[in-house]
Amino acid sequence: MLNLPQAPEIDVQGLVNKTDYGEDLQILDVRAPSRVASGRIDTVPVDRFHNIVGSSLIKITNPDEVGLDPNIPITVVCGRGNDSRVLAVHLNHMGFDACSLTGGMTAWMSLATPRELPPPPSLDHFVQFDRIGKGALGYLLVSNGQALIVDPPRNAESYLMLAEEIEAEVVAVADTHVHADYISGAPALAAYLRVPYYLHPRDSFYPYDGTPGRIDFRPIGDGDGIEFGRGALQVVHTPGHTEGSVSYVIDRAAALTGDFLFVSSIGRPDLAGRSSEWAEQLWDSVELAKRSWSPDMTVYPAHYAGDSERLENRVVSGRFGTMLQNNPSLQFCDRDEFLHWVESRKAPFPEVYRRIKAVNVGLIVVADSEADELEIGRNECALGGS
């Protein structure tokens, strides 16, 4: 048998660690430009990201024609980590320092990195899971050995592994709303664990035509509490992004705001074709938060736009009082001005969201391969694009 040269590989967590610590590296995406436009690794500076189609790269033998810096390590990225291995070997033959990203963009989009948060008084552990490829966030809350998972992705293995590690039993799963940019893992996870799945009933149907969904859930409403251990989440109905959007408040110290409120923006109200109606609900939700939430409350959203919304420890969160000063969506005192501002920031509608919503309310089932394709790319759930 021939001993073919093997390319060094790096897994997605290893790549995150390098970018988190500011290591200088280049990303070479060898997929077609149309695929790159749908979603790419954006955790390196723009001048460190390159796109050369693999079929063109393999024909180049002169390193000067590649257009990459020979002094900076290269991570080669393809769809699933197959072509990138071959092309990394090819680059190394030309004198570059290249490795292949294990699992490619599929692995990048599914990675959820846990980051510990300061727990409110009733919690023992509070963890934010950062799905960097989507700019999406989920949470694990633990109190007296009982755990609650909020806004999990399809692959929630990292949540379950951490719960097991800290000897916590998952007793419930919840969504802040029915997501449009990724397929929720909450219904399937709750069924697998035989625990309740909490959702506001206004989100239990397909919003584009009103078709009732086919998911098992335990309904929650404004003022309800979800109890676990010595803790409880207070349900605050904050519609506008969706009709059933809720925020979960913990000890009046922290709020999981889903897609209602982000650190620097707010959830767009146009994802079901009822922009005017939902924008008015969004105004009411903003006014409710401004009236009733302490400036010292910490907001933990379900999405973020980029590193500007991170703290130094890479956590995505914001002090509500600071957000009142810096988040433009919270600056308005006049309802009509707010509605005009919302209308002026409409963005193109991602058509793929219709199918994702249908999956999330149980109307259709898709294979994992299609689910991977549906979820490629960062979220577009914030007003003005985020």
Side-chain angles (χ1 to χ4, degrees):
M1 293 181 62
L2 293 175
N3 291 320
L4 298 176
Q6 299 294 311
E9 295 198 45
I10 185 171
D11 64 19
V12 285
Q13 186 60 61
L15 181 59
V16 167
N17 294 341
K18 286 180 178 293
T19 56
D20 272 0
Y21 288 102
E23 290 192 29
D24 201 9
L25 58 88
Q26 300 175 92
I27 299 292
L28 174 59
D29 195 318
V30 296
R31 297 174 299 151
S34 60
R35 306 289 291 168
V36 174
S38 297
R40 67 175 183 83
I41 296 175
D42 59 3
T43 56
V44 295
V46 174
D47 63 346
R48 292 287 188 264
F49 179 87
H50 309 272
N51 177 213
I52 307 174
V53 177
S55 57
S56 299
L57 177 62
I58 200 69
K59 299 174 184 177
I60 300 175
T61 57
N62 183 350
D64 294 335
E65 297 177 5
V66 178
L68 299 172
D69 191 326
N71 300 310
I72 300 175
I74 303 162
T75 298
V76 186
V77 181
C78 65
R80 296 182 179 273
N82 297 317
D83 292 346
S84 57
R85 291 198 295 265
V86 175
L87 293 166
V89 169
H90 180 61
L91 287 167
N92 289 335
H93 280 165
M94 287 192 283
F96 293 98
D97 178 9
C99 66
S100 169
L101 182 65
T102 306
M105 280 299 293
T106 298
W108 177 255
M109 294 304 300
S110 65
L111 175 70
T113 298
R115 295 191 171 97
E116 283 277 353
L117 307 173
S122 68
L123 300 185
D124 301 310
H125 296 276
F126 188 21
V127 183
Q128 181 179 80
F129 283 82
D130 184 358
R131 194 173 168 195
I132 297 170
K134 292 234 38 103
L137 304 164
Y139 297 88
L140 175 71
L141 302 84
V142 178
S143 178
N144 283 4
Q146 293 191 330
L148 174 67
I149 293 175
V150 178
D151 289 335
R154 277 186 300 137
N155 181 0
E157 183 178 357
S158 56
Y159 292 68
L160 297 179
M161 289 176 60
L162 182 56
E164 182 178 3
E165 180 182 323
I166 58 183
E167 299 182 342
E169 177 190 5
V170 178
V171 296
V173 184
D175 273 328
T176 52
H177 64 294
V178 167
H179 300 273
D181 66 303
Y182 70 86
I183 296 173
S184 172
L189 181 60
Y192 169 74
L193 297 173
R194 298 183 180 180
V195 301
Y197 166 49
Y198 291 99
L199 184 72
H200 195 285
R202 293 299 299 167
D203 265 13
S204 64
F205 56 88
Y206 191 55
Y208 303 104
D209 62 12
T211 301
R214 294 195 291 265
I215 49 174
D216 292 325
F217 69 99
R218 186 169 296 182
I220 50 173
D222 191 63
D224 288 347
I226 302 176
E227 297 182 357
F228 60 108
R230 66 181 186 280
L233 297 187
Q234 178 197 2
V235 178
V236 181
H237 188 206
T238 47
H241 179 66
T242 69
E243 286 192 307
S245 173
V246 300
S247 297
Y248 296 120
V249 175
I250 313 153
D251 300 336
R252 297 185 179 181
L256 307 182
T257 55
D259 286 14
F260 156 50
L261 186 62
F262 307 121
V263 172
S264 301
S265 187
I266 200 166
R268 57 191 290 185
D270 64 313
L271 292 182
R274 289 183 280 167
S275 181
S276 297
E277 176 188 345
W278 286 14
E280 293 182 2
Q281 295 182 21
L282 197 57
W283 166 257
D284 291 338
S285 296
V286 167
E287 287 298 288
L288 172 66
K290 290 166 74 172
R291 283 195 313 270
S292 57
W293 291 0
S294 164
D296 291 326
M297 180 180 285
T298 303
V299 168
Y300 296 100
H303 288 116
Y304 61 98
D307 280 355
S308 63
E309 297 182 44
R310 296 186 186 278
L311 304 178
E312 289 186 4
N313 61 2
R314 307 297 290 169
V315 165
V316 179
S317 69
R319 179 178 173 273
F320 188 56
T322 303
M323 292 168 59
L324 287 170
Q325 298 176 358
N326 298 332
N327 186 327
S329 66
L330 302 176
Q331 305 296 306
F332 295 92
C333 298
D334 181 84
R335 173 181 173 277
D336 290 338
E337 289 182 4
F338 174 83
L339 296 177
H340 175 75
W341 179 80
V342 169
E343 180 67 21
S344 70
R345 279 157 179 76
K346 277 188 176 180
F349 178 81
E351 284 296 327
V352 69
Y353 283 11
R354 296 181 187 272
R355 191 159 179 81
I356 294 175
K357 281 275 192 181
V359 174
N360 281 338
V361 296
L363 294 178
I364 60 173
V365 177
V366 297
D368 284 344
S369 57
E370 182 181 351
D372 290 340
E373 293 298 315
L374 290 173
E375 293 188 335
I376 285 289
R378 293 185 68 84
N379 74 90
E380 298 181 56
C381 294
L383 194 64
S386 172

